[in-house]
Every structure is written in structure tokens, then in C-alpha cells.
Amino acid sequence: MADPSKRPHRKQSPYTVDRGIPGAYAGETVTRRRLFTGGALAAGGIASAAFGLPALGFALGPLFERSEAPNFQDVGPESDFNPETYVAKVITIDPYVGEPGKTTVYVRRFDPTRDTDKLHQPYVAISNRCMHLGCPVRYVSASERFICPCHGGVYEFDGKVAGGPPVRPLDRFDTKVVAGRVKVGPRFSLDSHLHRHKVRDPSNHLDGLWQYIYPSRPTT
Amino acid sequence: MRLLPGPLRRRREPAPAPTAGRPDGDLRKGHEAVALEHEREAARERRREAIADVPIAVVGWLDERTGAGPFLRGFLYRKVPKGTNWFYTLGSATMFAFISQAVTGVFLAMYYRPSATQAYESIQHIQNDVFLGQLVRGMHKWGASVMMVLIFLHMGRTFFFGAYKYPRELNWIIGVVLIILTMVMGLTGYLLPFDQRSFWATVVAVNLNSSGPIIGPYLADFLRGGAEFGATTISRFYAIHMLLVPGLIAALIGIHLYLVAKLGTTAPPWLKAEKARDLAKEEI
């Protein structure tokens, strides 16, 4: 009779008195011991949740907050830039961390004869963050290519992937001209046809079926 | 007091009377003087014995109140199979490396400042100014590699000796989790010196996490504390490196060791083969 499924099935009364439990009251369906065990477990669960859930939310909060949108930052007068080559400028992404919060941005004037994108930016401001794993790329003017030192990623003059492991063109920043000075604003990402998307991390695809396994996040 | 095994336990034997029956002593001194000397010698002997008994008395006091004796006897003097060899020490060696990392890490935390603007300077301070700072940080830095090497050798021993098989599968799974947690320690600890190498290595490592499908980008946001490498990134890594993961590792090592003591160790596979051959002969 060790196997409970082999035991003859008898419909059991819901009342503790009928089941012959000592100290049972008539009409009682739950023993006091069971009630108090459940109550103690529930109290412990509520107490744990009372500190555990806020602590978890505290740790995970930044996943659901929009990271502070950078303002438009001045990178110099219009005369600094030309359509033929990029000029390296430094902007601040996060003002509270010192050097790591700064990044290089490559800026040139939009060239209607050469540029094929429909992004309507007066200046092309390309992020130096490699779209493979985020190393800093460098513009080599002799070959008109962006080259990554880490794993050999190479990009065309307009930031499209020319070779190596990168998964999409280099990110860009919004640009505008105010009173003759060039301003660089928030970052945006591009797919291989240079269509605009919300910011994705390096390594996240924006083309083909791959793009569906890299969702957009609340932080960007 | 039966904590210690037989040969190590002190045996009480009655001390022989020092000068009894010495004819010249008895002749030159009066009976009272001889009796006094006997008494003094006996008192000295009692004192020596009382002092020698102090450690045993302390252990006995603890044992009586904790019942640790039978537990420790079972844990420390358990039987091991024939053929147990030096390869079986790799697990203990890994644990020793972890303990060394924990101790040196705790003391490094006394001088380290987990902030993007001060971390590098505080490491320079530890390296150049603090007494023995270079040694303790060096032990922590190189000890991390030692621990990685040892844990993989330990896994290799377990695999090639077939020690992961029934009923030890759960211990294998816990061991795999411990390896992953050790690698998390390596990843999070790498950022803390906050030089160019550790910064860019962390940028790459976080983006590698981001390349995982669906949850990858969220995991990267969790590690960075936002969409960009920011002010909280280094303190998050520090908290994970020195509070979250070490706690988990210590707890899992406890369970791992409990299961080792409970299930015992396996003999090397070549011994099993010999035994099987002998058995086959007997059956014929």
C-alpha cells in the first residue's frame, strides 16, 4: 500500500471532526495547526517582499528609466567643417564621470552629391563607437575609411560597413546650425539602408530577421 | 572528549614517585624533608598536567555545547577510496584560492574608492604608497588567474574520473554554477583598476552581453545602470564583485562540500576497471 494511487479512493469529509482529528470543532474545515502554519508563512512572505521587492526595483530601476537625453552641444563654427573630410570633436555624453563620459564625434558638412541618406541633417556627425563591440574607431583620411583597432571592423566614408564583424553602420548624432555654429545633439542608430532607428547597443542588428531578437529598450 | 583520533589523544598515566626508594637521599635527609620534597614534586606534576589539559578542556567545553565532535569526525576522518591521489586536492586548492581572494579583497576594499574619478588614483595609492599594498593587490590580481586555472583543472579531474555520475550530478551542476560565478568575478573585477585596458575591456564585455537575443540588451542596461557607461557603472560592478557574487560563491561552496562529505569521493576509473576484472574472475 506504499503507492497512494493504489489505495482505495474514499471521498473524505471536508470537516475536521469527521476525519477524527483531535481537538477538532464541528464545522471546522482547516485545523488550527494548518491555519497557523499558513499564516506564519504568509507573514514571512509579506515581510520578505516588503524589503525584497523595493530592493529589486532599486537595482533594476535604471532598466526602465530613460537615460538623460544629451542637450545639443556646440562643436565649433561652420567654417571649421567641410564636405570632403571629417573633423574630430569631443562631446560629453555623461557629465558626472569625467573622461569616460566623453566621446569623439566625426563631423563634416552634408554633401548632396555624395550622400544618399534621407536623414535631413545639415551636418553628418558620426559616432566613433564601433558597431561590433563598441571599441573606438578612427577615421583614416587617406583611405576614406573608419577603422576599428580591436577586431578589424572597417566602415565606408558614410559609415556603412565595408568589412569585418560590425553588424550595422556607425551611429550618428542629430545636428543643427544655430547662429553660424554647429550643434551636435542626441545619438541615433541606422540600418544598412541608412534609415533612422532608436539607439541600439553595438552588436545589435537592425537588418533582416536578426533585428527582431534585439528589441528597443526603455532607456534609449 | 573523543574529538581527536586515538594516537593523538593524551594518555593519562600516574607519574612515578620521583625519589622513592633512593637510598642515598633517604640516608642524608630526614623523613620529613623527603616527604616535603615528594609533595612539592607531586604539586609541580599536577600543575604541569593542569596546564597541559587547558586546550583539551576548551575543546571539550565547545564540543559539549555544540556537538561538533561527531560531525567533524565524520567530515574530517571520513573514509576515502583506494587510489585517491594528488588530483583529488584540486577542489580544496580552488577553495583555498577563493579564501585568499576573499581575504585580500576585503583588505583592498579598505583603500579602494569605487568612483569613476577616483578609482584609478586609489589603485595607484595602493600600489605606490600603502605598506605591502603592491604585494596584497598583486596576490589578488594573480590569485584571480590561479583560481580560474585551478577551478578548470578541478572540473577536468571530475570529468575525466567520471566523478560527475550518479549520484553526484547535482554537485556537478553546482560546480558549473560556481565556474560561471567565478567568471563573473573575473569580469566585474577587471573594471575596478579603471585604466584604459579595463575600461575598454568592460565596454566590449558589456556589448558582448548585449548581443544575446531578447534579454541581452536589458542585461547590458542592468550592468551599465543605463544606456551609456555612466557614474553608477563602476559602483554596480563593485557591488556585484564584492558583495553579491562572493556571497553566492561562499554559499554554494558550502553546499558543494556538504554533498562531497555526504556522498564521498569516487575511486579513480582505472581502479574500478581492475576491480571489475577481479569480480569477473571470481564469478567464473
Side-chain angles (χ1 to χ4, degrees), chain B residues 20-34:
Chain B
R22 225 162 63 188
D24 53 349
D26 285 348
L27 280 177
R28 263 189 266 122
K29 290 176 189 168
H31 284 294
E32 275 182 25
V34 172

Side-chain angles (χ1 to χ4, degrees), chain B residues 212-244:
Chain B
I214 314 293
I215 60 162
Y218 298 102
L219 186 58
D221 276 355
F222 168 74
L223 287 170
R224 278 185 302 242
E228 298 278 354
F229 192 104
T232 54
T233 308
I234 193 166
S235 44
R236 283 179 101 80
F237 271 58
Y238 185 59
I240 294 169
H241 183 76
M242 89 161 261
L243 299 168
L244 189 63

Side-chain angles (χ1 to χ4, degrees), chain B residues 2-51:
Chain B
R2 297 189 47 82
L3 177 66
L4 299 171
L8 294 177
R9 222 180 303 135
R10 242 171 60 81
R11 287 201 184 82
R12 273 169 203 268
E13 281 159 14
T19 55
R22 225 162 63 188
D24 53 349
D26 285 348
L27 280 177
R28 263 189 266 122
K29 290 176 189 168
H31 284 294
E32 275 182 25
V34 172
L36 197 63
E37 200 175 308
H38 281 193
E39 192 131 318
R40 276 185 189 144
E41 185 60 34
R44 272 198 292 277
E45 180 63 24
R46 273 199 303 278
R47 258 204 309 281
R48 269 200 294 276
E49 243 180 45
I51 289 165

Side-chain angles (χ1 to χ4, degrees), chain A residues 11-82:
Chain A
K11 191 160 196 285
Q12 215 175 28
S13 164
Y15 298 106
T16 53
V17 170
D18 299 347
R19 279 183 276 156
I21 292 169
Y25 284 100
E28 184 187 66
T29 53
V30 178
T31 59
R32 265 159 291 168
R33 174 178 298 219
R34 223 179 134 77
L35 181 73
F36 274 80
T37 306
L41 285 174
I46 290 166
S48 306
F51 77 82
L53 291 179
L56 200 65
F58 182 67
L60 299 181
L63 266 75
F64 305 101
E65 282 168 11
R66 200 184 165 80
S67 295
E68 211 167 321
N71 299 320
F72 277 85
Q73 293 173 46
D74 193 305
V75 291
E78 281 198 275
S79 55
D80 277 10
F81 306 103
N82 61 70

Side-chain angles (χ1 to χ4, degrees), chain B residues 100-151:
Chain B
S100 136
Q101 290 301 94
V103 170
T104 52
V106 164
F107 292 120
L108 283 171
M110 292 179 177
Y111 297 93
Y112 179 71
R113 289 192 296 276
S115 112
T117 48
Q118 293 181 316
Y120 181 75
E121 281 163 35
S122 68
I123 294 278
Q124 292 306 304
H125 175 63
I126 290 170
Q127 284 286 88
N128 300 329
D129 309 328
V130 179
F131 178 62
L132 292 181
Q134 206 174 11
L135 179 68
V136 173
R137 189 174 104 78
M139 287 195 288
H140 197 75
K141 181 195 159 132
W142 296 104
S145 300
V146 169
M147 187 174 165
M148 285 306 313
V149 169
L150 286 174
I151 201 169

